[in-house]
Amino acid sequence: KQEEVVDQTVFETKKKGILTIGSVIANNFKCKMYYVSGCGSPMKIQFVGKPFDVSIAKETLIYALIASTQPLKPKSALLRHKS
C-alpha cells in the first residue's frame, strides 16, 4: 500500500535564519524541508511528508516562530513563581 505524500508551503519569509529551525523541526517529524526563492520575493518554506506529519511540523514551526518573538520574563519573575 502506498502512503500519500504531500508537498506543502508552510511559511513564507525573507529571513534565512528560519531555515535552520525549519529543517530541525521537519527532521523531527519525519519530513523533508526545502525552500523556493525568487528575486525579491519571500522564500517559500516547503515540507514534504505524510499529511499528518507535515501538519504537525507546520504547527510546530509556527508556534516556535511565535514563541521566539515573545519577550522573556525577567529572572526575578520566574523565581517568584517557584513553589
Side-chain angles (χ1 to χ4, degrees):
K1 176 184 170 185
Q2 281 189 323
E3 301 248 7
E4 180 185 4
V5 174
V6 296
D7 183 346
Q8 185 178 62
T9 300
V10 295
F11 198 76
E12 292 187 24
T13 184
K14 289 189 176 187
K15 298 180 182 179
K16 289 188 177 185
I18 293 173
L19 296 175
T20 302
I21 191 153
S23 179
V24 169
I25 289 170
N27 288 334
N28 278 293
F29 290 97
K30 298 184 269 180
C31 298
K32 298 292 182 188
M33 188 209 84
Y34 70 96
Y35 67 95
V36 178
S37 64
C39 185
S41 61
M43 291 183 295
K44 292 182 179 183
I45 297 175
Q46 304 281 133
F47 284 170
V48 179
K50 295 178 186 175
F52 182 75
D53 295 336
V54 168
S55 174
I56 297 298
K58 177 182 178 179
E59 292 301 317
T60 303
L61 176 62
I62 291 168
Y63 180 80
L65 296 174
I66 290 169
S68 71
T69 62
Q70 300 300 313
L72 295 175
K73 291 183 179 179
K75 186 176 180 181
S76 60
L78 294 173
L79 293 175
R80 282 196 302 266
H81 293 296
K82 282 190 172 181
S83 19

